[in-house]
Amino acid sequence: MTLPRLLRPLLLSVALAAPAVTTVGVTPAEAQIEIPTFAQAIAEAAASDADIGAFYSQNGYQPIWTGGSEAHRARIEALFQAIQHADDHGLPRSAFDTTALMDDMRSIDSPRDMGRVEVALSRLFLTYARNIQSGVLTPSDIAEGIKREVPLRDRTELLQDFSKAEPAPFLRTLPPTSPEYTRLMREKLRLERVRAKGGWGPVIQAGSLRPGNKGPGVIQLRNRLVAMGYMDRSATRIYDGEIQRAVQNFQSTHGLTTDGVAGNDTIRAINASVEDRLKSVIVAMERERWMNFDRGERHIWVNLTTFSARVVDEGKVTFETRSVIGQNLSTHRTPEFSDRMEHMVINPSWYVPRSIMAAEYLPQMKANPAAAGHLQLIDGSGRVVPRGAVDFTRYSGRNFPFNLKQPPGNGNALGLVKFMFPNRYNIYLHDTPAKSLFNRETRTFSHGCVRLQEPFEFAYTMLAPQEENPESFFHSVLNTGQETQVDLETPVPVHLVYRTAFTDTRGEMNYRNDMYGRDGKIWAALQNAGVDLRSFES
């Protein structure tokens, strides 16, 4: 039996159970409640929740759920209707187990009972609102590199706003309204239908396939591509042009080299189960809830899993370039967070981070004082210290009293420009002299910062709102060879994200590898919180 059908007798029982005791100073719809006893019950039930207690204290302990009026019943029905569809959002069923609450609603026999149910309904509403609006999890609890701060609404204000609004429309405003969230939910529902029908069929029993091949592996490849929607039904038994084009399309949406050859990586991706893809989508929806805030009319979007950086203006991608991100090491993985880009530095110096200096350069200089000769030794006053004046063997990473600096130049580790959004993680975007790395399919080579393949063009885009000729301005500063800070007149939000399931500019679903293992940890945490894949019967 569905929740709405169960609600009809429950709502009636709540209304009939309200004691007919008139109380001074309340409206006719509220006059059924014996306020002192009811208020005491609310205060006791809300003793462990200061936000709920504050709400009822401010509203004079008036019920918003159990008053028996049409408005009260509408709130209960709207909440239970919304909870019925919580699974569509990948929310935990256990968080909204209403069995005990419904039993309590049936057995209301006094104002004290009603007060306890009143608080339980408010607590249920706030749990639902928190889950669907800002996510089930606290990001920083999941993995070291997830630094994202979730936007949480004030719970007392949330109850106040809900009590004054039309309940059903208000509840519909809680999930993210971004087009991406809508598309992810659509993909989730589609994958659930595919799963209910048995998935995409047998996996491909071959290590590598290429155009011209024949045999069972090609047939398995063909059938799986058809089932996944990458090609129309076909009776071909040869790896022909149609299969090759389908493979290329698949490779394009999975971040693989689009050569039309089904190599090991491509076959591994095609063989991924519908369950695995469904988990990625549910995780992406949770991540989208973590970013349920205004990202800026103009913003920078760096998706670590796609090794790319974009400039987005009013929802449209106006610039995109390849990137290199942090190595898959605990000390080097690029973190996820949002900040504001405030300035760029043209002809930057590179001040070697202490961690890199201690782990890499100090051991070299202990063995050979002239090692890493491209770096200057700088004392606390900013003066260059001759290498011969220092006994490096006396120092460790903890007590080394000098900094290492690489002056501006073509060989500088930061290249010729860096883009700053000051943050405690010391992460920024920058140029690099190591241009060949951008040709790699997987680009995890940095110590954590994000390197850009086209940093000059990125700079022109950043300067365009404030310079009539941004390219000419940039090069006039660059040609001086002097380290120069150029402020952005309007700081630009920058978002470092990690999405293994997302839609591209055409609205097509894309999937990427969970290279840092973060999504796997998020899925495990969601499962621990009660999220699971819906059964076929659902």
Side-chain angles (χ1 to χ4, degrees), residues 9 14 68 71 102 136 239 263 430 439:
V14 169
M102 293 171 79
V136 178
Y239 197 135
H430 65 86
N439 296 323

Side-chain angles (χ1 to χ4, degrees), residues 178-319:
S178 65
E180 179 70 356
Y181 189 79
T182 301
R183 291 190 290 259
L184 287 169
M185 181 182 289
R186 187 182 304 127
E187 176 72 352
K188 175 182 179 291
L189 298 176
R190 186 188 74 83
L191 290 174
E192 286 175 338
R193 292 192 296 271
V194 171
R195 182 170 179 255
K197 294 177 181 178
W200 291 310
V203 297
I204 303 163
Q205 301 290 332
S208 180
L209 296 167
R210 60 182 56 251
N213 285 169
K214 302 177 182 179
V218 172
I219 295 173
Q220 292 164 352
L221 172 64
R222 177 203 69 192
N223 291 345
R224 203 153 172 92
L225 289 170
V226 169
M228 298 172 104
Y230 284 94
M231 62 180 286
D232 295 330
R233 288 191 176 277
S234 171
T236 183
R237 294 174 172 269
I238 303 174
Y239 197 135
D240 58 10
E242 186 180 8
I243 290 180
Q244 183 178 3
R245 287 187 294 273
V247 168
Q248 287 176 308
N249 188 16
F250 178 90
Q251 290 169 330
S252 175
T253 57
H254 289 74
L256 301 165
T257 303
T258 55
D259 56 10
V261 175
N264 292 335
D265 290 343
T266 297
I267 287 181
R268 188 180 303 113
I270 293 175
N271 279 343
S273 69
V274 65
E275 287 81 8
D276 286 341
R277 296 307 187 202
L278 190 50
K279 291 173 187 177
S280 295
V281 170
I282 292 173
V283 167
M285 293 175 71
E286 173 73 358
R287 286 181 170 280
E288 192 72 6
R289 289 189 288 265
W290 292 349
M291 296 187 66
N292 190 9
F293 55 79
D294 182 5
R295 298 168 193 178
E297 285 191 12
R298 159 169 273 208
H299 64 265
I300 298 159
W301 186 263
V302 180
N303 188 359
L304 304 181
T305 68
T306 62
F307 311 104
S308 66
R310 290 176 167 179
V311 178
V312 180
D313 288 291
E314 297 180 345
K316 295 183 178 180
V317 178
T318 55
F319 177 80

Side-chain angles (χ1 to χ4, degrees), residues 58-131:
Q58 292 168 15
N59 87 337
Y61 294 95
Q62 298 300 319
I64 66 171
W65 307 98
T66 59
S69 73
E70 187 61 39
H72 295 91
R73 291 193 294 271
R75 290 190 191 104
I76 298 176
E77 188 163 6
L79 177 59
F80 276 66
Q81 284 274 15
I83 286 172
Q84 187 182 19
H85 296 286
D87 254 351
D88 292 346
H89 297 267
L91 299 181
R93 300 183 188 92
S94 58
F96 314 115
D97 185 359
T98 57
T99 304
L101 176 56
M102 293 171 79
D103 288 342
D104 289 343
M105 290 170 68
R106 289 190 187 94
S107 60
I108 289 175
D109 194 40
S110 68
R112 186 170 296 279
D113 292 340
M114 190 166 289
R116 285 194 291 265
V117 168
E118 177 76 22
V119 171
L121 284 164
S122 289
R123 188 174 286 115
L124 177 65
F125 162 76
L126 288 174
T127 300
Y128 173 79
R130 165 68 167 84
N131 277 218

Side-chain angles (χ1 to χ4, degrees), residues 37-48 112 116 119:
T37 307
F38 181 76
Q40 184 179 356
I42 286 181
E44 292 172 356
S48 61
R112 186 170 296 279
R116 285 194 291 265
V119 171

Side-chain angles (χ1 to χ4, degrees), residues 139 144-149 287 291 293 300-302 304 333-341 420-429 448-450 493-498 518:
E144 174 64 25
I146 306 179
K147 308 295 185 180
R148 186 154 305 287
E149 297 179 5
R287 286 181 170 280
M291 296 187 66
F293 55 79
I300 298 159
W301 186 263
V302 180
L304 304 181
R333 297 182 188 112
T334 303
E336 306 166 41
F337 64 99
S338 293
D339 213 304
R340 296 196 312 162
M341 186 173 289
M420 303 299 294
F421 38 105
N423 58 82
R424 62 182 181 271
Y425 317 115
N426 199 28
I427 297 296
Y428 41 90
L429 313 185
C449 286
V450 178
V494 55
H495 308 291
L496 275 64
V497 304
Y498 184 100
R518 291 176 184 168

